[in-house]
Amino acid sequence: MKDRLTDALYGLGWSTVKKLPEPAAERLGRTIADAAWKRRGKGVLRLEANLARVVPDATPQRLAELSRAGMRSYLRYWMESFRLPSWSRERIKDGVDVKDLHHLTDGLAAGKGAVVALPHLANWDLAGAWVTTRLETPFTTVAERLKPETLYDRFVAYRESLGMEVLPHTGGSAFGTLARRLRAGGLVCLVADRDLSASGVEVKFFGESARMPGGPAMLAQQTGALLLPVTLWYDGPVMKGRIHPPVDVPETGTRAEKTSVMTQALADAFATGIADHPEDWHMLQRLWLADLEPRPGGTAAGESS
């Protein structure tokens, strides 16, 4: 029953919110965000705890302000996502402004392929729609298998409607398909600030240990594709982004050692963007190892998104 209700609510969002005038959708998002923030549920409390690591000198009042702004940013993401399929090409093109785009376009023009890795900042779906619309470049991504399966199907259909090829995170051969796309000079985009498998690469993130997926670094090593960290943030009605310089493959070391170094470089780039715009980091789940529940074997268990 819970799964059917969840699926129905998302379906209602995609069918109803996209029909609202944009100002009405914005007001609705702020209203829902403020109501959720006032309830002080576990998602809001987790967001605040995460932000306390990002802004360690923040007062309780400042943290509360950041978490409220964070919830408004998070609901803006959802309102935009529900409406994106109905946006015109011009609306998508005008809604995003990206700095240092040459890192991506030059790499693709050289036929090397590129892995874009980004954290849960602002609206990564809008960024993807901008890539397929403004740059006219298709790309492949991976999606977590959500429950119920009908909800996962909705997300896949939604992202495919924006021009993305979507592979399942589990239950398929995603890595091999991604590698083939990259060897053909294609583009792969991956949200990569939280490890879903609990077997990722340990990194230092805002001074504490966390795990992030090693897939982006491994793909770059195996295929010779560029590895590009990207960070996003909202600036008024426009979403802005920055493509950071490529992460180099170390000249020495084992594959695992190289993956560790490259994943740490991604984490450092993510931290720079998150520190600059903490209110746009939509991390309402546990991330740092100190917060994760231990498994019987001694490893830490993550949470589903």
Side-chain angles (χ1 to χ4, degrees):
M1 177 63 71
K2 180 182 176 182
D3 286 349
R4 289 198 298 271
L5 178 59
T6 299
D7 183 44
L9 288 173
Y10 279 105
L12 182 65
W14 269 302
S15 64
T16 303
V17 173
K18 70 179 180 181
K19 298 176 182 177
L20 292 175
E22 193 152 331
E26 291 173 357
R27 286 194 300 272
L28 177 61
R30 287 195 300 269
T31 299
I32 296 173
D34 289 349
W37 179 78
K38 288 177 182 177
R39 281 201 305 271
R40 309 288 293 162
K42 67 177 184 178
V44 172
L45 294 177
R46 175 50 50 194
L47 175 63
E48 230 165 75
N50 291 340
L51 290 171
R53 286 179 164 100
V54 175
V55 191
D57 58 348
T59 64
Q61 180 181 354
R62 174 59 177 151
L63 275 179
E65 292 171 350
L66 276 175
S67 67
R68 183 179 187 183
M71 290 304 295
R72 287 187 169 191
S73 177
Y74 183 50
L75 265 294
R76 175 175 173 173
Y77 159 78
W78 280 112
M79 293 297 109
E80 287 179 344
S81 294
F82 287 143
R83 293 173 54 77
L84 260 177
S86 66
W87 281 13
S88 68
R89 293 176 62 85
E90 290 70 26
R91 176 70 179 84
I92 293 172
K93 290 178 182 179
D94 294 342
V96 181
D97 179 24
V98 178
K99 299 180 179 180
D100 299 325
L101 183 59
H102 64 91
H103 290 309
L104 175 59
T105 54
D106 290 353
L108 292 176
K112 297 183 66 173
V115 181
V116 164
L118 62 163
H120 287 79
L121 273 168
N123 192 336
W124 45 97
D125 284 330
L126 174 56
W130 183 84
V131 167
T132 60
T133 303
R134 172 66 176 81
L135 301 185
E136 298 183 343
T137 301
F139 67 89
T140 304
T141 189
V142 173
E144 180 187 3
R145 279 194 179 277
L146 302 171
K147 293 182 179 180
E149 190 75 15
T150 51
L151 179 57
Y152 171 75
D153 293 340
R154 285 185 189 273
F155 271 96
V156 169
Y158 156 64
R159 287 175 173 145
E160 288 179 343
S161 76
L162 301 176
M164 312 176 193
E165 179 188 22
V166 183
L167 307 176
H169 182 266
T170 58
S173 54
F175 189 91
T177 302
L178 295 174
R180 288 194 294 274
R181 300 292 183 268
L182 292 168
R183 290 193 185 97
L187 175 62
V188 165
C189 298
L190 301 170
V191 180
D193 58 343
R194 189 168 69 93
D195 177 49
L196 292 173
S197 67
S199 61
V201 177
E202 188 167 328
V203 297
K204 284 296 181 183
F205 195 54
F206 291 101
E208 292 190 46
S209 295
R211 268 197 295 265
M212 294 186 182
M218 294 169 64
L219 283 166
Q221 290 178 62
Q222 186 165 311
T223 67
L226 292 178
L227 177 56
L228 298 171
V230 172
T231 51
L232 306 168
W233 66 95
Y234 286 124
D235 185 8
V238 174
M239 186 180 75
K240 293 191 175 181
R242 178 190 173 197
I243 300 180
H244 298 251
V247 172
D248 293 329
V249 178
E251 294 183 359
T252 60
T254 64
R255 184 178 183 184
E257 289 168 343
K258 292 178 180 180
T259 299
S260 178
V261 170
M262 295 170 74
T263 305
Q264 183 63 61
L266 286 181
D268 293 342
F270 294 167
T272 297
I274 292 166
D276 287 343
H277 305 280
E279 69 281 0
D280 288 327
W281 189 40
H282 305 154
M283 186 54 66
L284 280 70
Q285 300 86 17
R286 299 174 185 180
L287 176 70
W288 281 273
L289 298 190
D291 295 335
L292 298 177
E293 298 173 1
R295 293 182 185 274
T299 60
E303 298 175 4
S304 63
S305 60

